[in-house]
Amino acid sequence: MPLDLQTGVRLYQFVADRLDDQRRDQYPDGREEYETYWTTAHDLEKAFAEAVHAGESGTAERLLQHLRGMATAWQDHPHHPDNHTVGGSLPDDTAPDSQP
């Protein structure tokens, strides 16, 4: 995966969406677990963006790997970012002929 802001946002959004799905499935239970994981994912994405802006590729790569680690729980999900790479980068869902 490329070390750019879009990659971090897409990976974070995938994790956040799956956490939201999980939260709905577990409602009314699971609130504290959801908040912990959501906060972790949010903080990782924010730190990733800061590392990218600062040109700290080693730090950015490490943070991206942590986000990818969070996403592994949903590896078989049809929208998992690893299932939709095009030439090593994630497709733009708004572009014509892009994968969903």
Side-chain angles (χ1 to χ4, degrees):
M1 285 186 169
L3 293 178
D4 59 29
L5 296 176
Q6 288 182 340
T7 299
V9 168
R10 286 185 176 146
L11 191 53
Y12 161 73
Q13 193 59 56
F14 172 79
V15 170
D17 288 348
R18 300 300 69 80
L19 289 172
D20 287 345
D21 293 344
Q22 186 176 339
R23 174 76 173 114
R24 280 189 293 275
D25 291 345
Q26 294 176 351
Y27 186 81
D29 299 320
R31 179 176 158 240
E32 291 176 15
E33 181 181 16
Y34 165 83
E35 289 175 354
T36 298
Y37 284 115
W38 184 91
T39 299
T40 299
H42 183 265
D43 291 348
L44 284 169
E45 192 277 329
K46 181 179 176 187
F48 172 79
E50 291 170 353
V52 169
H53 278 296
E56 299 172 358
S57 60
T59 300
E61 179 66 36
R62 182 180 54 79
L63 293 165
L64 188 63
Q65 291 305 317
H66 283 294
L67 266 175
R68 289 183 79 195
M70 291 185 79
T72 59
W74 302 284
Q75 184 68 38
D76 295 330
H77 192 280
H79 297 123
H80 191 284
D82 286 348
N83 298 333
H84 296 281
T85 59
V86 175
S89 63
L90 297 173
D92 179 355
D93 293 340
T94 62
D97 300 322
S98 67
Q99 298 175 6

